[in-house]
Amino acid sequence: MNTIDAKLLAKMFLAGAKNLEVKKEWINELNVFPVPDGDTGTNMTLTIMSAVKEVNGITELTMENLAKAISSGSLRGARGNSGVILSQLLRGFTKGIKEHKTLDAVTIARAIDKGVETAYKAVMKPKEGTILTVARGVADKALELADEAQDLQPFFEDILAEGKRVLEKTPDMLPVLKEAGVVDSGGQGLIVVLEGAFDAFMGKEIDLSFDAGESAKVVKISPQAEADIKFGYCTEFIIVLNKEFSDDDEVDFKKYLSSLGDSIVCVADDEVVKIHVHTNDPGLAIQRALTYGSLSRIKIDNMREEHQEKLIKDAEKVAAQQAEEAAKKEPKKEVGFISVSIGEGFGDIFRDLGVDYLIEGGQTMNPSTEDMLNAIEKVNAENIFIFPNNKNIILAANQAQALTKDKNIIVIPTKTVPQGITAIINFVPEKSVEDNEAAMIEEIKRVKTGQITYAVRDTHIDDKEIHQGDIMGIGDHGMLAVGQNVAEVAKETAAAMVDEDTELISIYYGEDFSEEEAEELGAQLEEMYDYCDVEVNYGGQPIYYCIVSVE
């Protein structure tokens, strides 16, 4: 085979996405730091699932439509640095294929190279030893082989082998990977996608049903009173036949279902029968079905409950729409603020400081570019400052900035929540947007952050031996402390950050660290550093017992 068409490429893309979905937890475990929030596999999966949804929605499959679906879906669904880079690789690749009806080795190689070029441009300071390096290796090999490649099978085999070879070398390029004994997780995720795509090219049978990528089933319910719902249970199931299901059987079974309810669907082939019926007694339908074979995918929904829920949701939706319409009629204010936050306490702090819109997210669930765009749409301001508050969210915020045309978006590259708090505290309404941006960026450089959590596996990092269950203090640039006690590790973490210029130490305690423990820690730090102010605040964050910031 020397070319592939849109149908085969779509199958290859979906197979790559499926392989990533299946192996996402394994990729998460390749996280350098042994923290309970490894998210590379999750971020890459959610990113590609957004594109899967678009691809599965294509009504007329052409190369152009496929390219648009993959690019648009992954771009808007991108989460975390690895997800954003994956979306840019796909975006560049699809630019290189969209005008072709079939793809040969030369076209594929150029498209891969375009993807790598696009991804490198999206990252401010590209690091080698990452997903970018693996993608570059694949692209270089593809370009090297393309002119002589007549058969795509050895071409794909060779570029995949080169990608794996480069992946194995990533620990030699990034010392932190070598010390932790892992390859780059983003690079591994890319190889997993390519392996799945190659399996589909080779004709391997692959289950292309997706959990994360499936769109919700839409059920249209007419505005009627509950009493008008004659049959209360929407019942669906599949009969896996163990004997012949003749045309007469089909007629008889439909007649029986008609005696129980309405909205009947009975679709049969040689092996299975798909049933849908609205009835007040699902059990009777199931009992009769069992006489033909075993049942799978049984789904019974109470339509009266759904009706009540829909009435409530409809009322809430109308109220929200009315509020939104009213807000749109108001003149735009000069400046608005969007902040990523996780934890009830942090949310209250940001609201008190004047943030217009909070995006729930952070370490355990990075918000997508789409989440950012939705927030931007809801803030009625000419200029909007975004505080990502996590180094893994900054690229998604930058991508949302690039996609927004009607508002001026300013992304302040805050890597931790304390940096975000400092940034907004330093906003001065009387200053220009540009002066405020410069001041915020300068001020967040003064903030050091240590996050206290527990280890989920044994490892060795930053010259520290870590065992599963140990308490760790992780700073802006590496591991600061390891021990057995949260308060002791917090104090050691603070000691690694405090210097003679320190003026303020802030403690934000999470949902697994009590107020009493936090106040005691604050008192101890006050005694240790009597030249500093010490503040204790409720953050309410999960996973991290407490977050200590020094400025």
Side-chain angles (χ1 to χ4, degrees), residues 321-343:
Q321 285 173 342
Q322 288 173 344
E324 209 168 300
E325 289 301 318
K328 282 179 183 175
K329 290 175 184 174
E330 302 241 339
K332 280 185 180 177
K333 59 181 182 176
E334 184 67 21
V335 175
F337 302 99
I338 294 170
S339 178
V340 178
S341 176
I342 188 162

Side-chain angles (χ1 to χ4, degrees), residues 295-308:
L295 304 187
S296 72
R297 300 192 190 178
I298 300 173
K299 183 170 175 283
I300 301 171
D301 293 322
N302 186 328
M303 293 192 295
R304 293 187 177 95
E305 275 185 9
E306 286 183 353
H307 178 66
Q308 290 294 337

Side-chain angles (χ1 to χ4, degrees), residues 222-287:
S222 302
Q224 57 186 353
E226 181 183 318
D228 292 338
I229 299 177
K230 187 176 179 182
F231 299 106
Y233 296 96
C234 175
T235 306
E236 297 178 42
F237 52 82
I238 290 174
I239 308 171
V240 181
L241 296 170
N242 59 17
K243 61 181 181 180
E244 183 186 359
F245 190 78
S246 66
D247 291 342
D248 289 341
D249 289 329
E250 184 174 343
V251 170
D252 288 344
F253 193 38
K254 282 182 179 178
K255 187 176 179 182
Y256 176 73
L257 292 176
S258 297
S259 71
L260 301 178
D262 61 13
S263 299
I264 293 156
V265 175
C266 177
V267 181
D269 64 17
D270 292 340
E271 296 177 354
V272 299
V273 182
K274 174 74 187 288
I275 298 296
H276 173 280
V277 59
H278 291 175
T279 177
N280 287 326
D281 199 334
L284 291 176
I286 288 170
Q287 284 175 17

Side-chain angles (χ1 to χ4, degrees), residues 476-525:
D476 297 321
H477 305 292
M479 194 71 64
L480 299 180
V482 178
Q484 302 299 314
N485 179 274
V486 173
E488 291 304 314
V489 170
K491 285 189 286 185
E492 195 178 331
T493 301
M497 298 188 293
V498 172
D499 57 30
E500 65 273 11
D501 296 323
T502 301
E503 298 172 355
L504 174 65
I505 301 172
S506 299
I507 300 166
Y508 302 93
Y509 61 96
E511 59 184 22
D512 295 319
F513 198 59
S514 70
E515 183 177 359
E516 292 74 25
E517 290 172 310
E519 292 289 354
E520 175 63 22
L521 173 61
Q524 291 175 3
L525 289 175

Side-chain angles (χ1 to χ4, degrees), residues 39 81 340 362-364 366 387-395 414-417:
D39 52 10
N81 293 345
V340 178
Q363 289 297 117
T364 51
N366 297 155
F387 308 112
N389 299 337
N390 186 305
K391 65 183 180 182
N392 207 27
I393 299 174
I394 294 171
L395 280 183
T414 51
K415 296 179 180 178
T416 63
V417 175

